[in-house]
Amino acid sequence: MASRGLRILGHNLSTALRTHRAPLRACPQLMCTAAQQPNNPESEEEKGKKRGEESAEQLSAEKAKLEDQVKEVTDKYKRALADTENLRQRSQKMLEDAKLYGIQGFCKDLLEVADILEKATQSVPKEEIKDQNPHLKNLYEGLVMTEVQMQKVFKKHGIVKLNPVGAKFDPYEHEALFHSPVEGKEPGTVALVTKVGYKLHERTLRPALVGVVKGT
């Protein structure tokens, strides 16, 4: 009986020991899990920070790209405005020139008429213009009146006669036929006008044909 009691006591003791050892074996697993848990939030935080940095870099790159596009569009817009303004100014200048110089061809044709009238009045002997010769006198006075009226019309439309005797020679308004020394005259000045010239506003219609004083 004693031997049987000892066996039962030993079996119960082994069972009790196994029961107490099971929690001990579970403890290391709990400790490992507890030790690993603090690392997970830190890892997630780093990942979030990294994703934030990548997003910031991407946004910065997109911002720079958009700024470049805005700058390019702005430059194109400014150039287009400048081209449009230049075109407007050129068109306005062409329109003004057309108004001023549209009659240039017609005026050139009238210059020959003015030359003929001037020669006609100059060819009449002044001593023959008297009451005893009424026909010649009336003809002469009619020619003079016609010439005066034509010059008034010329002036009204911006046509100016060029008769530059004594003026400084200007290659834009005068055409030199000869150069000759003239006593008492400054070299480079106009000594003689063989044919008067004309200007339409600021543009020379016909240069005056002149003789220029030559330096000795």
Side-chain angles (χ1 to χ4, degrees):
M1 293 291 291
S3 175
R4 184 179 178 184
L6 288 172
R7 284 197 298 273
I8 293 170
L9 180 62
H11 177 71
N12 293 335
L13 182 60
S14 299
T15 302
L17 288 173
R18 285 195 299 272
T19 302
H20 287 289
R21 285 174 182 171
L24 291 175
R25 285 195 300 269
C27 288
Q29 296 177 359
L30 293 173
M31 292 177 64
C32 292
T33 302
Q36 293 174 358
Q37 286 178 354
N39 293 331
N40 290 335
E42 184 178 355
S43 178
E44 291 297 329
E45 183 180 354
E46 290 178 355
K47 289 180 180 179
K49 184 178 180 180
K50 185 175 181 181
R51 285 195 296 270
E53 292 176 352
E54 291 177 352
S55 299
E57 291 177 356
Q58 185 177 1
L59 290 175
S60 178
E62 291 179 356
K63 178 185 176 183
K65 184 178 179 181
L66 290 174
E67 288 177 349
D68 291 340
Q69 291 178 352
V70 170
K71 183 178 180 181
E72 182 180 358
V73 171
T74 302
D75 291 341
K76 289 181 178 179
Y77 174 70
K78 290 180 178 179
R79 286 196 295 269
L81 282 181
D83 292 341
T84 303
E85 179 62 19
N86 291 335
L87 179 60
R88 187 193 68 79
Q89 292 179 358
R90 287 197 299 269
S91 300
Q92 184 68 23
K93 183 65 168 57
M94 291 174 63
L95 182 61
E96 292 175 356
D97 288 347
K99 289 180 179 179
L100 290 176
Y101 305 111
I103 60 172
Q104 180 171 336
F106 177 69
C107 293
K108 283 185 176 181
D109 293 337
L110 285 181
L111 298 185
E112 298 299 327
V113 178
D115 291 340
I116 293 172
L117 284 173
E118 185 177 5
K119 289 178 180 179
T121 55
Q122 291 175 354
S123 64
V124 176
K126 300 299 184 291
E127 63 275 8
E128 297 293 333
I129 304 172
K130 51 188 177 179
D131 295 337
Q132 287 79 6
N133 197 351
H135 297 293
L136 181 60
K137 181 181 179 181
N138 292 335
L139 176 62
Y140 176 78
E141 290 177 351
L143 290 174
V144 171
M145 290 175 62
T146 303
E147 184 182 8
V148 170
Q149 186 62 32
M150 178 167 284
Q151 293 300 324
K152 287 182 179 180
V153 173
F154 281 178
K155 186 176 181 180
K156 178 181 177 181
H157 292 281
I159 303 174
V160 180
K161 181 186 287 189
L162 300 176
N163 191 7
V165 176
K168 194 75 175 177
F169 176 77
D170 185 350
Y172 296 102
E173 297 182 357
H174 313 147
E175 182 178 341
L177 298 179
F178 60 89
H179 291 77
S180 176
V182 179
E183 186 177 355
K185 298 288 185 178
E186 182 181 356
T189 58
V190 176
L192 178 67
V193 176
T194 61
K195 191 174 185 179
V196 296
Y198 286 91
K199 287 178 64 176
L200 176 60
H201 299 291
E202 297 301 321
R203 184 178 296 179
T204 300
L205 278 177
R206 187 182 72 188
L209 303 182
V210 301
V212 183
V213 178
K214 182 180 179 181
T216 55

